[in-house]
Amino acid sequence: MESNGATFLNVGADSRPGLAGIMEIGLGIPSCISVDALCGYNFNSRFFLGGGLGYRADLAYASGGITASVPIYAQARYTIGDKKSAPYAALSLGYDAKTPNLYSGLEFGVRMRSMKKIEKGSSCWLGTKIEMTGRDLGFFSFKFGKSF
């Protein structure tokens, strides 16, 4: 869709305004795994706002077996600078569908933009995230993500 030469609907290039998606996997402390899928809008090369759906599994929660959470959340992500590697911060707020609790997350890391012609406009995200689901289930995890 174009108007006066400006593109409003741009898919797959996170270096300019348009729709974008991010897939993330995480390994947490002490023994949890997480998977997230986000879909949203890049307002420019630095600011992303979207919604996400995740799955968290705590593999050793109080030695009582696996416990899980399924957060549904909104996320704002901001990259500081336009260099190939730049720091970013993200804030997530939502609701856990499995345990009826609020969900929140705070993430910091480094965004690495691709300079290859074939992948121009995509990024890799490497960071740490502190997540809280209710008052009993909290995670500190190392995340790796890829935008598309």
Side-chain angles (χ1 to χ4, degrees):
M1 191 178 339
E2 290 193 24
S3 174
N4 298 332
T7 303
F8 294 109
L9 184 59
N10 175 38
V11 180
D14 62 8
S15 61
R16 57 184 189 253
L19 296 176
I22 301 171
M23 290 294 297
E24 286 186 331
I25 58 170
L27 295 174
I29 297 172
S31 59
C32 64
I33 58 171
S34 64
V35 178
D36 289 278
L38 291 114
C39 185
Y41 192 80
N42 284 316
F43 288 89
N44 53 40
S45 64
R46 296 180 182 180
F47 184 65
F48 170 85
L49 182 63
L53 175 65
Y55 178 78
R56 313 275 177 277
D58 187 351
L59 304 176
Y61 182 73
S63 300
I66 297 174
T67 58
S69 66
V70 181
I72 301 168
Y73 56 93
Q75 185 179 85
R77 191 177 285 225
Y78 185 76
T79 304
I80 302 165
D82 284 326
K83 294 185 178 184
K84 183 177 178 181
S85 294
Y88 76 92
L91 176 66
S92 303
L93 296 171
Y95 180 78
D96 182 7
K98 182 132 173 81
T99 62
N101 290 310
L102 294 177
Y103 167 81
S104 62
L106 185 59
E107 185 174 349
F108 297 99
V110 176
R111 175 185 185 179
M112 296 163 284
R113 292 180 170 99
S114 176
M115 296 299 176
K116 294 180 183 176
K117 199 171 200 176
I118 197 163
E119 291 184 11
K120 192 120 177 141
S122 67
S123 295
C124 288
W125 307 82
L126 186 62
T128 59
K129 189 170 188 178
I130 300 167
E131 303 173 83
M132 201 62 152
T133 305
R135 28 171 210 228
D136 297 331
L137 201 53
F139 294 117
F140 175 80
S141 58
F142 298 99
K143 301 287 230 173
F144 173 77
K146 176 80 170 135
S147 57
F148 54 92

